[in-house]
Amino acid sequence: MRIDVVTIFPAYLAPLDEALVGRARRAGLLDVRVHDLRRWATGVHKAVDDAPYGGGPGMLMTAPVWGAALDEVAGSGEGVPRLLVPTPAGAPLTQRRAASWASEPWLVLACGRYEGIDARVLDDARRRMPVEEVSLGDYVLAGGEVAALVVVEAVSRLVPGVLGNPASAELDSFAEGTGGLLEAPAYTRPERWRDLDVPEVLRGGNHAVVDRWRRDRSLERTAAVRPDLLDALLARHGAAAFD
Ligand SMILES: Nc1c(O)cccc1[N+](=O)[O-]
């Protein structure tokens, strides 16, 4: 999979050289390319922003700079990429969306700054490629770079071969393997730590019993912390969702 990230702060994406994503890049499983948007800026000051029409606080990133950048980046490979734009106005990032993007051959992430990007940039991009706006949550960040790091990691770990043990992803919270529930509490050695013991059932070795225990703990945890997920499962699968 190829992933391009366009930003005015390339150094913000340095963590993509580390850990899981860094290893996958060096193994040739991911082709991650970070581009400085200012490469496409013109003029002495390489300006990438201007005042918003209609007034209002702050500045907007301009269409000509982003247009030139996306033309070159999205035109530099086989086929057509899916353009992802982190923004508070986007649809929520979910495991399901990350999983769908993990099967794409090529993603381009456009990181906005200031008050965002001139709307015509996405309107124009939609004429040539699929475009999705994605939000990490209902809070305000200074730009899209942190969200881009999150999206790249959430997607990359689902790319075949990136996780050492693919089964790890199956028991994640929100994953199909946990039925879209939060994952159960997990334990490792020592068996007793301070005055706390590992639950006996996990030490017994009966996989069917362990699976049932984990399912029950997932249901309890989800009901306590994310009842909205239970409502969604009920709506989708009826009471059978909790068998
Ligand atoms: N919330 C926010 C933002 O304020 C700026 C860029 C991206 C996001 N986001 O993805 O959630």
Side-chain angles (χ1 to χ4, degrees), residues 85-91 93 110-114 116 133-148 151:
V85 184
T87 167
L93 174 64
C111 299
R113 277 272 154 174
Y114 307 102
E133 295 176 276
V134 57
S135 169
L136 295 189
D138 298 337
Y139 42 78
V140 180
L141 300 170
E145 286 79 8
V146 168
V151 170

PDB file of all heavy atoms in Angstrom, residues 85-91 93 110-114 116 133-148 151, ligand 1:
ATOM      1  N   VAL A  85      -9.204  13.500   4.124  1.00  0.00           N
ATOM      2  CA  VAL A  85      -8.929  14.832   4.663  1.00  0.00           C
ATOM      3  C   VAL A  85      -9.366  14.885   6.123  1.00  0.00           C
ATOM      4  O   VAL A  85     -10.573  14.866   6.415  1.00  0.00           O
ATOM      5  CB  VAL A  85      -9.668  15.919   3.865  1.00  0.00           C
ATOM      6  CG1 VAL A  85      -9.299  17.314   4.374  1.00  0.00           C
ATOM      7  CG2 VAL A  85      -9.362  15.779   2.373  1.00  0.00           C
ATOM      8  N   PRO A  86      -8.422  14.884   7.054  1.00  0.00           N
ATOM      9  CA  PRO A  86      -8.785  15.019   8.474  1.00  0.00           C
ATOM     10  C   PRO A  86      -9.370  16.407   8.735  1.00  0.00           C
ATOM     11  O   PRO A  86      -8.756  17.407   8.368  1.00  0.00           O
ATOM     12  CB  PRO A  86      -7.457  14.837   9.209  1.00  0.00           C
ATOM     13  CG  PRO A  86      -6.555  14.147   8.240  1.00  0.00           C
ATOM     14  CD  PRO A  86      -6.983  14.645   6.897  1.00  0.00           C
ATOM     15  N   THR A  87     -10.531  16.458   9.355  1.00  0.00           N
ATOM     16  CA  THR A  87     -11.200  17.729   9.635  1.00  0.00           C
ATOM     17  C   THR A  87     -12.269  17.493  10.699  1.00  0.00           C
ATOM     18  O   THR A  87     -12.892  16.429  10.730  1.00  0.00           O
ATOM     19  CB  THR A  87     -11.876  18.296   8.373  1.00  0.00           C
ATOM     20  OG1 THR A  87     -12.773  19.357   8.747  1.00  0.00           O
ATOM     21  CG2 THR A  87     -12.666  17.237   7.628  1.00  0.00           C
ATOM     22  N   PRO A  88     -12.492  18.497  11.571  1.00  0.00           N
ATOM     23  CA  PRO A  88     -13.550  18.335  12.568  1.00  0.00           C
ATOM     24  C   PRO A  88     -14.933  18.197  11.920  1.00  0.00           C
ATOM     25  O   PRO A  88     -15.880  17.730  12.532  1.00  0.00           O
ATOM     26  CB  PRO A  88     -13.452  19.606  13.415  1.00  0.00           C
ATOM     27  CG  PRO A  88     -12.676  20.567  12.597  1.00  0.00           C
ATOM     28  CD  PRO A  88     -11.792  19.763  11.697  1.00  0.00           C
ATOM     29  N   ALA A  89     -15.011  18.593  10.647  1.00  0.00           N
ATOM     30  CA  ALA A  89     -16.296  18.506   9.930  1.00  0.00           C
ATOM     31  C   ALA A  89     -16.468  17.158   9.236  1.00  0.00           C
ATOM     32  O   ALA A  89     -17.420  16.976   8.456  1.00  0.00           O
ATOM     33  CB  ALA A  89     -16.381  19.621   8.903  1.00  0.00           C
ATOM     34  N   GLY A  90     -15.536  16.216   9.499  1.00  0.00           N
ATOM     35  CA  GLY A  90     -15.618  14.930   8.816  1.00  0.00           C
ATOM     36  C   GLY A  90     -16.466  13.917   9.552  1.00  0.00           C
ATOM     37  O   GLY A  90     -16.870  14.128  10.701  1.00  0.00           O
ATOM     38  N   ALA A  91     -16.708  12.797   8.896  1.00  0.00           N
ATOM     39  CA  ALA A  91     -17.407  11.664   9.533  1.00  0.00           C
ATOM     40  C   ALA A  91     -16.417  10.983  10.474  1.00  0.00           C
ATOM     41  O   ALA A  91     -15.209  10.989  10.221  1.00  0.00           O
ATOM     42  CB  ALA A  91     -17.882  10.683   8.464  1.00  0.00           C
ATOM     43  N   LEU A  93     -13.840   8.717  12.476  1.00  0.00           N
ATOM     44  CA  LEU A  93     -12.958   7.601  12.175  1.00  0.00           C
ATOM     45  C   LEU A  93     -13.447   6.393  12.974  1.00  0.00           C
ATOM     46  O   LEU A  93     -13.658   6.503  14.180  1.00  0.00           O
ATOM     47  CB  LEU A  93     -11.510   7.925  12.577  1.00  0.00           C
ATOM     48  CG  LEU A  93     -10.517   6.777  12.444  1.00  0.00           C
ATOM     49  CD1 LEU A  93     -10.361   6.339  10.992  1.00  0.00           C
ATOM     50  CD2 LEU A  93      -9.163   7.180  13.038  1.00  0.00           C
ATOM     51  N   ALA A 110      -4.495  14.767   3.112  1.00  0.00           N
ATOM     52  CA  ALA A 110      -4.254  16.214   2.989  1.00  0.00           C
ATOM     53  C   ALA A 110      -4.434  16.836   4.370  1.00  0.00           C
ATOM     54  O   ALA A 110      -5.543  16.826   4.920  1.00  0.00           O
ATOM     55  CB  ALA A 110      -5.236  16.827   1.995  1.00  0.00           C
ATOM     56  N   CYS A 111      -3.356  17.356   4.922  1.00  0.00           N
ATOM     57  CA  CYS A 111      -3.406  17.929   6.277  1.00  0.00           C
ATOM     58  C   CYS A 111      -3.634  19.438   6.200  1.00  0.00           C
ATOM     59  O   CYS A 111      -2.759  20.182   5.758  1.00  0.00           O
ATOM     60  CB  CYS A 111      -2.104  17.655   7.017  1.00  0.00           C
ATOM     61  SG  CYS A 111      -1.757  15.893   7.225  1.00  0.00           S
ATOM     62  N   GLY A 112      -4.804  19.854   6.652  1.00  0.00           N
ATOM     63  CA  GLY A 112      -5.112  21.280   6.687  1.00  0.00           C
ATOM     64  C   GLY A 112      -4.502  21.930   7.914  1.00  0.00           C
ATOM     65  O   GLY A 112      -4.192  21.258   8.897  1.00  0.00           O
ATOM     66  N   ARG A 113      -4.305  23.230   7.811  1.00  0.00           N
ATOM     67  CA  ARG A 113      -3.875  24.027   8.956  1.00  0.00           C
ATOM     68  C   ARG A 113      -4.710  25.314   8.949  1.00  0.00           C
ATOM     69  O   ARG A 113      -5.632  25.469   8.144  1.00  0.00           O
ATOM     70  CB  ARG A 113      -2.377  24.384   8.863  1.00  0.00           C
ATOM     71  CG  ARG A 113      -1.471  23.280   9.366  1.00  0.00           C
ATOM     72  CD  ARG A 113      -1.224  23.391  10.866  1.00  0.00           C
ATOM     73  NE  ARG A 113      -0.910  22.102  11.478  1.00  0.00           N
ATOM     74  CZ  ARG A 113      -0.537  21.982  12.756  1.00  0.00           C
ATOM     75  NH1 ARG A 113      -0.384  23.056  13.497  1.00  0.00           N
ATOM     76  NH2 ARG A 113      -0.339  20.780  13.275  1.00  0.00           N
ATOM     77  N   TYR A 114      -4.370  26.243   9.837  1.00  0.00           N
ATOM     78  CA  TYR A 114      -5.110  27.498   9.933  1.00  0.00           C
ATOM     79  C   TYR A 114      -6.595  27.180  10.172  1.00  0.00           C
ATOM     80  O   TYR A 114      -6.905  26.309  10.977  1.00  0.00           O
ATOM     81  CB  TYR A 114      -4.912  28.354   8.652  1.00  0.00           C
ATOM     82  CG  TYR A 114      -3.460  28.586   8.304  1.00  0.00           C
ATOM     83  CD1 TYR A 114      -2.849  27.838   7.289  1.00  0.00           C
ATOM     84  CD2 TYR A 114      -2.684  29.506   8.997  1.00  0.00           C
ATOM     85  CE1 TYR A 114      -1.518  28.023   6.973  1.00  0.00           C
ATOM     86  CE2 TYR A 114      -1.357  29.711   8.681  1.00  0.00           C
ATOM     87  CZ  TYR A 114      -0.772  28.958   7.671  1.00  0.00           C
ATOM     88  OH  TYR A 114       0.564  29.138   7.369  1.00  0.00           O
ATOM     89  N   GLY A 116      -8.457  25.862   7.908  1.00  0.00           N
ATOM     90  CA  GLY A 116      -8.852  24.809   6.977  1.00  0.00           C
ATOM     91  C   GLY A 116      -8.440  25.113   5.558  1.00  0.00           C
ATOM     92  O   GLY A 116      -7.597  25.992   5.304  1.00  0.00           O
ATOM     93  N   GLU A 133     -13.831  12.958   4.083  1.00  0.00           N
ATOM     94  CA  GLU A 133     -13.421  13.781   5.216  1.00  0.00           C
ATOM     95  C   GLU A 133     -13.598  12.945   6.470  1.00  0.00           C
ATOM     96  O   GLU A 133     -14.613  12.257   6.635  1.00  0.00           O
ATOM     97  CB  GLU A 133     -14.262  15.053   5.263  1.00  0.00           C
ATOM     98  CG  GLU A 133     -14.021  15.953   4.049  1.00  0.00           C
ATOM     99  CD  GLU A 133     -14.921  17.174   4.049  1.00  0.00           C
ATOM    100  OE1 GLU A 133     -16.057  17.065   3.583  1.00  0.00           O
ATOM    101  OE2 GLU A 133     -14.468  18.232   4.537  1.00  0.00           O
ATOM    102  N   VAL A 134     -12.612  12.989   7.369  1.00  0.00           N
ATOM    103  CA  VAL A 134     -12.629  12.122   8.548  1.00  0.00           C
ATOM    104  C   VAL A 134     -12.253  12.917   9.794  1.00  0.00           C
ATOM    105  O   VAL A 134     -11.371  13.776   9.762  1.00  0.00           O
ATOM    106  CB  VAL A 134     -11.665  10.927   8.353  1.00  0.00           C
ATOM    107  CG1 VAL A 134     -10.246  11.363   8.062  1.00  0.00           C
ATOM    108  CG2 VAL A 134     -11.713   9.985   9.542  1.00  0.00           C
ATOM    109  N   SER A 135     -13.006  12.624  10.875  1.00  0.00           N
ATOM    110  CA  SER A 135     -12.749  13.326  12.142  1.00  0.00           C
ATOM    111  C   SER A 135     -12.363  12.326  13.229  1.00  0.00           C
ATOM    112  O   SER A 135     -12.928  11.240  13.302  1.00  0.00           O
ATOM    113  CB  SER A 135     -14.009  14.073  12.596  1.00  0.00           C
ATOM    114  OG  SER A 135     -13.839  14.542  13.936  1.00  0.00           O
ATOM    115  N   LEU A 136     -11.410  12.734  14.075  1.00  0.00           N
ATOM    116  CA  LEU A 136     -11.037  11.898  15.224  1.00  0.00           C
ATOM    117  C   LEU A 136     -12.053  12.068  16.341  1.00  0.00           C
ATOM    118  O   LEU A 136     -12.191  11.214  17.193  1.00  0.00           O
ATOM    119  CB  LEU A 136      -9.655  12.296  15.756  1.00  0.00           C
ATOM    120  CG  LEU A 136      -8.442  12.075  14.862  1.00  0.00           C
ATOM    121  CD1 LEU A 136      -7.195  12.323  15.672  1.00  0.00           C
ATOM    122  CD2 LEU A 136      -8.449  10.698  14.236  1.00  0.00           C
ATOM    123  N   GLY A 137     -12.711  13.227  16.362  1.00  0.00           N
ATOM    124  CA  GLY A 137     -13.638  13.455  17.464  1.00  0.00           C
ATOM    125  C   GLY A 137     -14.034  14.909  17.549  1.00  0.00           C
ATOM    126  O   GLY A 137     -13.534  15.751  16.803  1.00  0.00           O
ATOM    127  N   ASP A 138     -14.943  15.180  18.492  1.00  0.00           N
ATOM    128  CA  ASP A 138     -15.525  16.528  18.560  1.00  0.00           C
ATOM    129  C   ASP A 138     -14.668  17.423  19.438  1.00  0.00           C
ATOM    130  O   ASP A 138     -15.051  17.777  20.551  1.00  0.00           O
ATOM    131  CB  ASP A 138     -16.966  16.442  19.075  1.00  0.00           C
ATOM    132  CG  ASP A 138     -17.836  15.627  18.128  1.00  0.00           C
ATOM    133  OD1 ASP A 138     -17.462  15.529  16.935  1.00  0.00           O
ATOM    134  OD2 ASP A 138     -18.856  15.080  18.566  1.00  0.00           O
ATOM    135  N   TYR A 139     -13.487  17.752  18.935  1.00  0.00           N
ATOM    136  CA  TYR A 139     -12.624  18.713  19.630  1.00  0.00           C
ATOM    137  C   TYR A 139     -11.766  19.371  18.559  1.00  0.00           C
ATOM    138  O   TYR A 139     -11.722  18.912  17.409  1.00  0.00           O
ATOM    139  CB  TYR A 139     -11.736  18.016  20.667  1.00  0.00           C
ATOM    140  CG  TYR A 139     -11.157  16.719  20.202  1.00  0.00           C
ATOM    141  CD1 TYR A 139     -10.049  16.690  19.345  1.00  0.00           C
ATOM    142  CD2 TYR A 139     -11.719  15.500  20.587  1.00  0.00           C
ATOM    143  CE1 TYR A 139      -9.523  15.499  18.904  1.00  0.00           C
ATOM    144  CE2 TYR A 139     -11.187  14.297  20.134  1.00  0.00           C
ATOM    145  CZ  TYR A 139     -10.092  14.299  19.306  1.00  0.00           C
ATOM    146  OH  TYR A 139      -9.577  13.105  18.861  1.00  0.00           O
ATOM    147  N   VAL A 140     -11.108  20.438  18.925  1.00  0.00           N
ATOM    148  CA  VAL A 140     -10.385  21.208  17.911  1.00  0.00           C
ATOM    149  C   VAL A 140      -8.880  21.003  18.045  1.00  0.00           C
ATOM    150  O   VAL A 140      -8.323  21.117  19.147  1.00  0.00           O
ATOM    151  CB  VAL A 140     -10.708  22.714  18.050  1.00  0.00           C
ATOM    152  CG1 VAL A 140      -9.951  23.514  16.989  1.00  0.00           C
ATOM    153  CG2 VAL A 140     -12.208  22.928  17.895  1.00  0.00           C
ATOM    154  N   LEU A 141      -8.246  20.663  16.930  1.00  0.00           N
ATOM    155  CA  LEU A 141      -6.789  20.547  16.889  1.00  0.00           C
ATOM    156  C   LEU A 141      -6.245  21.720  16.076  1.00  0.00           C
ATOM    157  O   LEU A 141      -6.989  22.426  15.410  1.00  0.00           O
ATOM    158  CB  LEU A 141      -6.398  19.220  16.214  1.00  0.00           C
ATOM    159  CG  LEU A 141      -6.912  17.934  16.882  1.00  0.00           C
ATOM    160  CD1 LEU A 141      -6.680  16.739  15.994  1.00  0.00           C
ATOM    161  CD2 LEU A 141      -6.271  17.750  18.239  1.00  0.00           C
ATOM    162  N   ALA A 142      -4.951  21.883  16.079  1.00  0.00           N
ATOM    163  CA  ALA A 142      -4.353  23.008  15.336  1.00  0.00           C
ATOM    164  C   ALA A 142      -4.209  22.670  13.859  1.00  0.00           C
ATOM    165  O   ALA A 142      -3.958  23.541  13.026  1.00  0.00           O
ATOM    166  CB  ALA A 142      -2.995  23.356  15.918  1.00  0.00           C
ATOM    167  N   GLY A 143      -4.334  21.372  13.525  1.00  0.00           N
ATOM    168  CA  GLY A 143      -4.218  20.988  12.118  1.00  0.00           C
ATOM    169  C   GLY A 143      -4.463  19.497  11.956  1.00  0.00           C
ATOM    170  O   GLY A 143      -4.770  18.796  12.920  1.00  0.00           O
ATOM    171  N   GLY A 144      -4.290  19.011  10.750  1.00  0.00           N
ATOM    172  CA  GLY A 144      -4.641  17.627  10.442  1.00  0.00           C
ATOM    173  C   GLY A 144      -3.541  16.611  10.665  1.00  0.00           C
ATOM    174  O   GLY A 144      -3.769  15.399  10.524  1.00  0.00           O
ATOM    175  N   GLU A 145      -2.326  17.065  11.031  1.00  0.00           N
ATOM    176  CA  GLU A 145      -1.183  16.136  11.083  1.00  0.00           C
ATOM    177  C   GLU A 145      -1.358  15.047  12.145  1.00  0.00           C
ATOM    178  O   GLU A 145      -1.076  13.870  11.892  1.00  0.00           O
ATOM    179  CB  GLU A 145       0.118  16.911  11.339  1.00  0.00           C
ATOM    180  CG  GLU A 145       0.629  17.703  10.132  1.00  0.00           C
ATOM    181  CD  GLU A 145      -0.090  19.013   9.911  1.00  0.00           C
ATOM    182  OE1 GLU A 145      -0.907  19.424  10.768  1.00  0.00           O
ATOM    183  OE2 GLU A 145       0.124  19.622   8.849  1.00  0.00           O
ATOM    184  N   VAL A 146      -1.808  15.440  13.340  1.00  0.00           N
ATOM    185  CA  VAL A 146      -1.981  14.430  14.401  1.00  0.00           C
ATOM    186  C   VAL A 146      -3.009  13.394  13.962  1.00  0.00           C
ATOM    187  O   VAL A 146      -2.824  12.194  14.133  1.00  0.00           O
ATOM    188  CB  VAL A 146      -2.438  15.119  15.713  1.00  0.00           C
ATOM    189  CG1 VAL A 146      -2.913  14.094  16.726  1.00  0.00           C
ATOM    190  CG2 VAL A 146      -1.329  15.966  16.292  1.00  0.00           C
ATOM    191  N   ALA A 147      -4.085  13.889  13.342  1.00  0.00           N
ATOM    192  CA  ALA A 147      -5.121  12.971  12.846  1.00  0.00           C
ATOM    193  C   ALA A 147      -4.564  12.077  11.743  1.00  0.00           C
ATOM    194  O   ALA A 147      -4.886  10.885  11.666  1.00  0.00           O
ATOM    195  CB  ALA A 147      -6.313  13.772  12.334  1.00  0.00           C
ATOM    196  N   ALA A 148      -3.687  12.630  10.918  1.00  0.00           N
ATOM    197  CA  ALA A 148      -3.095  11.820   9.842  1.00  0.00           C
ATOM    198  C   ALA A 148      -2.261  10.696  10.436  1.00  0.00           C
ATOM    199  O   ALA A 148      -2.312   9.542   9.966  1.00  0.00           O
ATOM    200  CB  ALA A 148      -2.236  12.698   8.934  1.00  0.00           C
ATOM    201  N   VAL A 151      -4.734   8.043  11.587  1.00  0.00           N
ATOM    202  CA  VAL A 151      -5.322   7.310  10.464  1.00  0.00           C
ATOM    203  C   VAL A 151      -4.294   6.350   9.868  1.00  0.00           C
ATOM    204  O   VAL A 151      -4.598   5.169   9.631  1.00  0.00           O
ATOM    205  CB  VAL A 151      -5.834   8.284   9.390  1.00  0.00           C
ATOM    206  CG1 VAL A 151      -6.216   7.544   8.105  1.00  0.00           C
ATOM    207  CG2 VAL A 151      -7.031   9.080   9.911  1.00  0.00           C
TER     208      VAL A 151
HETATM  209  N1  LIG B   1     -10.620  17.945  15.172  1.00  0.00           N
HETATM  210  C1  LIG B   1      -9.767  18.163  14.069  1.00  0.00           C
HETATM  211  C2  LIG B   1      -9.244  19.452  13.815  1.00  0.00           C
HETATM  212  O1  LIG B   1      -9.610  20.467  14.681  1.00  0.00           O
HETATM  213  C3  LIG B   1      -8.403  19.691  12.732  1.00  0.00           C
HETATM  214  C4  LIG B   1      -8.064  18.649  11.890  1.00  0.00           C
HETATM  215  C5  LIG B   1      -8.552  17.353  12.121  1.00  0.00           C
HETATM  216  C6  LIG B   1      -9.404  17.118  13.202  1.00  0.00           C
HETATM  217  N2  LIG B   1      -9.919  15.797  13.444  1.00  0.00           N
HETATM  218  O2  LIG B   1      -9.588  14.868  12.591  1.00  0.00           O
HETATM  219  O3  LIG B   1     -10.644  15.519  14.411  1.00  0.00           O
END
